[in-house]
């Protein structure tokens, strides 16, 4: 088998590595080979400082196909298929494919963009899965990846600073132990950069009808979530836990223009693969973590409407921040109280040190007490006076004193707050597993 990985060919101003991958499919077919399995769209470490957007990398396998065959895309009205298994191509065909894919990257990548550092990698077997795990959770160096590719007798080409080979290599290393699917529909080149006119009602209808799909429509902000806002070739993308409904779901959308091509990708999106369970004391900047502890400060709303609360476990304490774009999410944050047990998922930021919350599990919301009245004097029966905050009560007439806890308290049950919460659809991270997909919520 020939494995091809590509990364970092696009720029804010246009192009998209997934689109280049559909061109790679054409090259594979032109040379009489098959795409083996689905093309793969792999999201890597979301905290990488040099990513432009969603840190996506792509990989595909090419071979002499056998076994099950299924349609996984279409260009210019012609369907293309993927095969279940494949044998290695001849060295001659392999060489031609490598030449063509390299030429494709060289002609179509956005070299002019400062932050675009394309990389393409060719391997005859998949690298160790641990490289993917590190790629999605840590920072890898180009030199380490180059050494590894060389040791595997692979071929690579890194352009400009060459960093793209890191993503390209890690995308080949991924195995779909946890996975979802995304169908991407592309625009005709003449429409790139123009406004998309997708019919909103058709997106809602698709969302209601196809239960395996997710993150389609942001009901909180009344916004379509399937379409990007960049000038890239993608018209829209629909995500699902299984591939079965994706083609029908795509056909339900009224796109407002012709779909020039489409392709189904196997992805690591919505898997939480970037998240590592940690003790608070072990959290380092750049980590994406799942921590569990007790809320140890009352939530504070800071400028901009963001909500900060502090969480403590036996190893330490850390601030957690819920950002304002997620309005309903910030409301939940404001309802937390000292003593609540929570699990927080998110990325650890360096300055100020805080966890940017991307999912919140309120495990235990403690009942809180609310003072209804001051206590009565046991001698004269009159209501006692407060001696100040936390200072207890005194009877002005009999001089009897009582502690603060002896006031008449009302207990407010907060059990209904227990549960899972996440930002609105449009503010979610590609890798974050939506609450809808959690098994035991
Ligand atoms: P997209 O726009 O396609 O969603 P992006 O533009 O945000 O993705 P890329 O263009 O893929 O991101 O750029 C990310 C760069 O970071 C690539 O060069 C990639 O090789 C590199 N990279 C990805 N993961 C890591 C990592 N874990 N360690 C070091 N470098 C990484």
């Amino acid at each position: 088998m020939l494995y091809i990985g590509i990364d970092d060919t696009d720029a804010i101003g246009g192009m998209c590595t997934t689109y280049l991958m559909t061109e790679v499919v054409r090259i594979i077919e032109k040379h009489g080979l098959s795409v083996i399995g689905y093309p793969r769209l792999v999201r890597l470490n979301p905290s990488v400082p040099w990513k432009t957007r969603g840190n996506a990398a792509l990989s595909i396998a090419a071979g002499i196909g056998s076994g099950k065959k299924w349609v996984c895309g279409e260009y210019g009205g012609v369907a293309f298929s993927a095969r279940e298994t494949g044998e290695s191509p001849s060295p001659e065909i392999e060489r031609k494919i490598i030449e063509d894919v390299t030429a494709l990257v060289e002609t179509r990548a956005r070299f002019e963009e400062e932050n675009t550092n394309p990389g393409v990698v060719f391997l005859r077997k998949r690298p160790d899965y641990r490289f993917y795990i590190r790629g999605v959770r840590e920072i890898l160096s180009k030199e380490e990846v180059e050494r590894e590719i060389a040791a595997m007798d692979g071929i690579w080409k890194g352009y400009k600073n060459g960093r793209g080979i890191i993503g390209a290599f890690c995308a080949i290393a991924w195995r779909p132990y946890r996975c979802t699917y995304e169908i991407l529909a592309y625009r005709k080149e003449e429409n790139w950069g123009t406004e998309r006119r997708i019919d909103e009602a058709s997106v809602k209808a698709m969302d209601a009808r196809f239960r395996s799909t997710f993150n389609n429509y942001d009901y909180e902000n009344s916004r379509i979530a399937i379409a990007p806002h960049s000038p890239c070739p993608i018209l829209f993308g629909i995500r699902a836990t299984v591939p079965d409904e994706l083609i029908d779901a795509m056909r339900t959308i009224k796109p407002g223009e012709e779909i020039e091509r489409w392709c189904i990708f196997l992805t690591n999106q919505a898997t939480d693969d970037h998240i590592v369970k940690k003790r608070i004391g072990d959290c380092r900047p750049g980590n994406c973590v799942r921590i569990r502890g007790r809320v140890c400060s009352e939530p504070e709303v800071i400028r901009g409407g963001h909500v900060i609360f502090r969480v403590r476990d036996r190893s330490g304490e850390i601030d957690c921040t819920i950002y304002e774009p997620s309005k309903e999410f910030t409301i939940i944050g404001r309802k937390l109280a000292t003593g609540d047990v929570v699990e927080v998922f998110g990325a650890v930021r360096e300055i100020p040190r805080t966890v940017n919350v991307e999912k919140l599990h309120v495990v235990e919301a403690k009942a809180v007490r609310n003072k209804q009245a001051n206590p009565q004097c046991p001698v004269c029966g009159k209501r006692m006076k407060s001696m100040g905050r936390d200072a207890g009560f005194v009877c002005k007439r009999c001089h009897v004193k009582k502690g603060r806890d002896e006031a008449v308290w009302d207990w407010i049950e907060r059990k209904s707050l227990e549960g899972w919460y996440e930002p609105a659809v449009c503010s979610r991270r590609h890798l974050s597993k939506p609450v809808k997909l959690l098994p035991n919520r």
Side-chain angles (χ1 to χ4, degrees):
M1 203 93 81
L2 177 66
Y3 297 98
I4 305 168
I6 308 182
D7 194 13
D8 212 346
T9 63
D10 54 358
I12 298 272
M15 200 18 85
C16 168
T17 312
T18 69
Y19 180 85
L20 276 201
M21 212 29 129
T22 65
E23 291 289 308
V24 173
V25 171
R26 295 177 100 145
I27 294 172
I28 292 170
E29 294 207 319
K30 184 179 95 184
H31 291 291
L33 295 185
S34 301
V35 174
I36 311 300
Y38 285 98
R40 299 178 174 194
L41 162 55
V42 181
R43 303 282 177 178
L44 295 168
N45 186 348
S47 300
V48 156
W50 40 81
K51 65 167 190 177
T52 340
R53 285 178 301 227
N55 203 2
L58 275 292
S59 74
I60 199 164
I64 304 162
S66 57
K68 221 177 87 189
K69 186 175 179 181
W70 67 93
V71 170
C72 84
E74 195 180 290
Y75 35 64
V78 182
F80 64 84
S81 303
R83 301 295 297 260
E84 194 180 3
T85 48
E87 302 265 315
S88 295
S90 68
E92 175 61 11
I93 297 289
E94 196 181 274
R95 190 182 53 75
K96 283 186 178 158
I97 291 183
I98 293 171
E99 257 173 39
D100 285 1
V101 172
T102 311
L104 171 77
V105 172
E106 287 173 4
T107 48
R108 301 302 296 264
R110 299 291 293 249
F111 287 92
E112 69 280 13
E113 207 66 40
E114 192 194 330
N115 231 349
T116 299
N117 298 289
V120 51
V121 173
F122 303 92
L123 295 170
R124 290 183 195 84
K125 62 177 196 194
R126 290 194 191 280
D128 194 304
Y129 180 65
R130 278 172 293 187
F131 281 103
Y132 158 68
I133 288 295
R134 288 178 56 207
V136 78
R137 297 178 183 170
E138 297 167 19
I139 304 285
L140 290 172
S141 77
K142 187 184 75 171
E143 291 68 29
E144 181 183 4
V145 167
E146 279 175 338
R147 272 198 306 276
E148 205 58 39
I149 303 172
M152 292 176 72
D153 252 344
I155 294 170
W156 75 95
K157 197 131 195 218
Y159 302 87
K160 293 164 71 182
N161 77 14
R163 199 187 273 142
I165 64 160
I166 302 171
F169 181 74
C170 293
I172 306 177
W174 178 54
R175 316 287 198 281
Y177 300 131
R178 292 170 292 278
C179 66
T180 61
Y181 297 80
E182 178 160 6
I183 191 167
L184 288 171
Y186 297 90
R187 322 179 75 182
K188 288 175 91 172
E189 201 155 343
E190 68 211 44
N191 292 326
W192 296 3
T194 64
E195 201 188 327
R196 294 170 179 84
R197 286 164 289 118
I198 297 168
D199 177 70
E200 195 165 330
S202 73
V203 177
K204 287 192 198 166
M206 181 276 289
D207 182 56
R209 185 163 154 217
F210 299 100
R211 305 309 300 162
S212 64
T213 66
F214 60 90
N215 286 0
N216 296 316
Y217 190 81
D218 185 338
Y219 292 92
E220 192 186 324
N221 297 301
S222 304
R223 270 174 69 181
I224 291 172
I226 60 170
H229 297 283
S230 63
C232 77
I234 295 176
L235 181 55
F236 63 83
I238 304 173
R239 297 167 184 206
T241 50
V242 288
D244 316 19
E245 296 185 312
L246 281 176
I247 299 174
D248 289 339
M250 175 185 69
R251 301 223 155 101
T252 307
I253 302 297
K254 294 185 182 145
E257 65 188 85
E258 195 181 317
I259 293 174
E260 188 261 337
R261 65 181 70 186
W262 55 267
C263 181
I264 299 177
F265 292 87
L266 180 65
T267 91
N268 66 338
Q269 293 170 158
T271 58
D272 273 348
D273 267 1
H274 61 312
I275 300 277
V276 184
K277 237 183 192 172
K278 289 218 170 190
R279 296 175 342 141
I280 290 172
D282 298 332
C283 291
R284 301 283 171 267
N287 291 162
C288 293
V289 296
R290 173 181 187 163
I291 54 171
R292 184 187 171 110
R294 277 191 195 278
V295 175
C296 60
S297 75
E298 290 303 316
E300 187 190 340
V301 182
I302 60 164
R303 231 180 48 205
H306 318 308
V307 178
I308 302 184
F309 55 95
R310 207 163 168 76
V311 176
R312 175 189 296 157
D313 70 8
R314 286 195 184 145
S315 68
E317 285 181 15
I318 197 161
D319 278 343
C320 300
T321 309
I322 298 181
Y323 287 94
E324 191 332 272
S326 345
K327 279 199 189 56
E328 282 180 22
F329 199 32
T330 53
I331 293 170
I332 297 302
R334 277 157 45 185
K335 287 185 180 166
L336 291 172
T338 307
D340 287 349
V341 179
V342 291
E343 276 185 299
V344 176
F345 294 62
V348 183
R349 185 172 139 172
E350 183 160 22
I351 303 167
R353 181 65 65 92
T354 183
V355 179
N356 291 349
V357 185
E358 54 183 70
K359 194 154 54 212
L360 174 69
H361 180 198
V362 182
V363 181
E364 195 187 330
K366 294 257 175 212
V368 291
R369 61 185 193 177
N370 188 24
K371 197 182 80 176
Q372 211 185 40
N374 291 356
Q376 285 177 303
C377 171
V379 180
C380 68
K382 281 224 176 254
R383 288 273 168 220
M384 301 171 81
K385 289 269 179 272
S386 169
M387 296 190 289
R389 204 178 145 81
D390 295 333
F393 303 93
V394 65
C395 175
K396 283 274 161 82
R397 213 200 285 168
C398 316
H399 305 290
V400 177
K401 286 185 179 167
K402 276 195 169 192
R404 176 177 151 75
D405 285 346
E406 292 182 71
V408 183
W409 296 102
D410 240 2
W411 285 91
I412 303 167
E413 266 307 325
R414 297 169 57 250
K415 279 252 167 266
S416 62
L417 192 67
E418 291 172 7
W420 289 87
Y421 302 95
E422 64 193 332
V425 173
C426 281
S427 320
R428 285 181 203 160
R429 281 196 145 157
H430 298 292
L431 275 162
S432 277
K433 190 171 197 162
V435 168
K436 172 183 168 180
L437 304 187
L438 294 174
N440 306 311
R441 58 180 160 123

